[in-house]
Amino acid sequence: MNLSGVISALHARLPELGERMAQRIRSDVDAYNDESLIAFDSLRRSCTANADLLLDQLGRAGARDPSPARETGRLRAEQGVPLADTLHAYRMGFELLWTEVLTEARTHPEVTDAQLVSQSAEIWALFGLYAEAVAAAYRETTAELTSRRQARRSALVEALFTGVIADRTLWEAARELGLPDRGPYVVVAAAADAPGEEPLAGREGALRQAQVHFAWRLLPDQQIGLAALPTATAERSCLRILRRAGARVGISPSFHSLRDTPQALRFARLALASLQGTGPGVARFDDNPLAMVVAAAPAEAAHLVEVVLRPLLDLPAAERARLLETLEHWYTAAGSATDAARSLFVHPNTVRYRLRRVEEVTARSLSDPRAAADIRVALLAVRRANASVSHAMW
C-alpha cells in the first residue's frame, strides 16, 4: 500500500497539524482549557510528537513504538489531567489526523478508496494500541505519584510527632497535610490488635465528612493521628466517630501550636494507657488529669502507694476490698457519705465507719485536704498498677 506521497505531504505540514490539534483539543476538552494546568506549548509539542509517530507508522510493517504515547500518559498524570479527558483528547487527535489523511489522499490519484478503507482499519488499530499505552503510563505514573505523596505525608507527620521540624516549615507541613496552621488540635492514639493493623480503618471518610481534618501515621502497635478541631461541633463529631470505631483510643488535651505535637502525643498515649480492661473505649486526658499524672510517673506513684496505703493493702483481702471500694465511691461522690452509701447500697453510717477505719489504718485524716489528696492519688496508682491482678488486690 503506497501512502508515501500523502504521508510526506502531511509531514511537511507537521507543525501546522500539531498547532491545529492542540487548538481543537483545548477548545473541546475542559481539562485542557486551563493554561495553569497544561501550557499550550506543552500541548502543541505533545500533539506534534504523536502525529509524527502515527504518520511514521502508517503503512509500515513491524514493531510499533509507543514511547510518545507513554510520554503523553506520564505527562498528563503529572499535570493532574483526568484519564478520561486524556483519552478523549488522544482520540480527537487521531480523528483530526485521519481526516487530514483523507483530505490529502484526494489529491493523490494513486491512492484508491479500497486502500483508504484498509488503512482506516490500521489507524484505529494503532489508536487502540497507543491509547492503551497512554492509559498504562498514566496509571503507573499516578501510582508512583501517590506513593511519593504518601511517603512525604508520612515523613511530615513523623516529623511533627517527633518535633524534628523547623518552626519556619511548620506552616508548610500543615498546608501539605491539609491542616490549618493554627489549632485547636488534638492528637489521637489508638491501640492496634496486631502489628500493621489499622484500629481506626474506615473512619477517615466519616471524619472528612464531619469536616474533621486528620493526618495519620501507622506504627507497629498504634495508629496515631493529628486532628484539627476548629469548632465544638467538630470536636463532638470526632468523639462520636472515634467511639463508634470499636477501638481503644486515647485523646490528648487540645493545643494551638504544632510545636506542641510531641507533648500532645505523650498525653494521648497516657490517656490510652489509662483505659481499664481490654475492651474498646475512648479516654480523654482532660477527663481525668490526675490519673494521667499518675500514669506519667509510675515509679513515683508506686512509691506513694507504699508510703500512703501500704498498711491498708496489708489487711486481709475481704477488709481491704471493702475499704478500697468505699474510698472509690466516696471520692466519686465528692466526699458525700450519703451519696457514697447510696451507690454502695449500704447505710451512710457504714460508709462513715469504713472511712474512720481507713484513717485509723493509714494514720491520715480524710478531713485534711492534703492527706485526702495523697490517698486519692495513691488509690489511682493502685488501680492502675494492679489492673491486671485486680481480683487479687481488691
Side-chain angles (χ1 to χ4, degrees):
M1 185 180 300
N2 185 10
L3 284 179
S4 58
V6 173
I7 292 171
S8 295
L10 293 178
H11 257 133
R13 305 204 313 268
L14 198 56
E16 174 202 342
L17 287 176
E19 177 90 14
R20 288 171 54 203
M21 282 184 184
Q23 289 175 345
R24 176 76 61 83
I25 290 169
R26 198 170 187 82
S27 65
D28 290 357
V29 185
D30 289 341
Y32 284 74
N33 197 28
D34 186 349
E35 179 71 20
S36 65
L37 187 64
I38 304 175
F40 185 77
D41 285 346
S42 171
L43 178 58
R44 180 174 53 209
R45 286 194 301 269
S46 177
C47 289
T48 303
N50 281 287
D52 189 29
L53 169 70
L54 290 172
L55 290 172
D56 283 343
Q57 297 297 322
L58 283 177
R60 178 187 297 178
R64 310 299 191 182
D65 176 18
S67 55
R70 288 186 57 82
E71 176 62 17
T72 296
R74 182 197 64 77
L75 185 60
R76 297 297 174 256
E78 290 178 346
Q79 292 168 331
V81 180
L83 178 56
D85 285 351
T86 300
L87 292 175
H88 182 199
Y90 208 72
R91 183 182 182 89
M92 287 181 62
F94 262 81
E95 290 174 346
L96 189 147
L97 183 62
W98 181 237
T99 299
E100 291 296 321
V101 168
L102 294 177
T103 301
E104 181 64 28
R106 294 192 183 100
T107 67
H108 295 259
E110 72 277 11
V111 179
T112 66
D113 289 345
Q115 289 175 327
L116 290 174
V117 170
S118 174
Q119 194 67 60
S120 174
E122 181 177 349
I123 196 169
W124 289 113
L126 283 173
F127 170 76
L129 174 66
Y130 293 137
E132 184 178 336
V134 168
Y138 185 101
R139 294 188 180 100
E140 290 169 7
T141 304
T142 299
E144 181 181 343
L145 292 173
T146 299
S147 178
R148 288 179 185 172
R149 282 194 294 268
Q150 289 175 342
R152 176 162 174 78
R153 283 179 61 87
S154 181
L156 285 173
V157 174
E158 177 71 8
L160 287 174
F161 280 128
T162 57
V164 291
I165 187 167
D167 287 353
R168 61 187 175 82
T169 60
L170 282 173
W171 69 271
E172 295 175 351
R175 182 183 59 186
E176 191 159 343
L177 294 170
L179 298 169
D181 57 6
R182 292 290 299 172
Y185 311 105
V186 296
V187 168
V188 171
D193 292 331
E197 283 194 5
E198 294 186 41
L200 300 176
R203 299 295 151 180
E204 291 90 339
L207 289 166
R208 281 195 300 270
Q209 191 172 19
Q211 302 300 309
V212 177
H213 300 286
F214 255 96
W216 296 103
R217 176 93 167 111
L218 184 62
L219 305 175
D221 60 338
Q222 290 178 351
Q223 185 176 6
I224 57 178
L226 172 63
L229 302 177
T231 65
T233 300
E235 182 178 2
R236 288 192 297 269
S237 298
C238 179
L239 284 172
R240 183 179 67 254
I241 292 167
L242 293 176
R243 285 175 177 139
R244 290 176 179 173
R248 294 174 64 79
V249 180
I251 303 176
S252 76
S254 64
F255 58 103
H256 290 272
S257 172
L258 288 172
R259 288 190 297 273
D260 298 328
T261 304
Q263 183 182 45
L265 174 60
R266 182 166 180 266
F267 289 152
R269 284 172 165 162
L270 288 172
L272 174 61
S274 76
L275 281 170
Q276 299 299 301
T278 58
V282 175
R284 296 192 302 175
F285 188 98
D286 286 347
D287 288 343
N288 197 346
L290 187 58
M292 301 302 123
V293 171
V294 170
E300 291 77 3
H303 179 71
L304 183 65
V305 169
E306 290 296 317
V307 171
V308 176
L309 287 184
R310 175 48 58 192
L312 191 154
L313 298 177
D314 287 339
L315 293 173
E319 183 179 10
R320 177 180 68 223
R322 283 195 302 271
L323 296 182
L324 290 173
E325 181 184 33
T326 300
L327 277 173
E328 283 281 358
H329 283 260
W330 184 72
Y331 280 111
T332 300
S336 169
T338 301
D339 291 344
R342 188 177 299 112
S343 63
L344 286 166
F345 302 102
V346 297
H347 194 277
N349 286 338
T350 301
V351 171
R352 296 186 183 99
Y353 168 77
R354 293 177 182 175
L355 295 176
R356 285 195 296 272
R357 177 64 175 150
V358 168
E359 292 177 325
E360 174 188 331
V361 170
T362 63
R364 294 171 185 270
S365 172
L366 289 170
S367 61
D368 179 350
R370 290 174 298 180
D374 289 343
I375 293 174
R376 175 58 175 159
V377 174
L379 189 63
L380 289 171
V382 167
R383 184 175 64 184
R384 172 176 169 76
N386 298 284
S388 59
V389 289
S390 58
H391 294 295
M393 290 296 299
W394 293 63

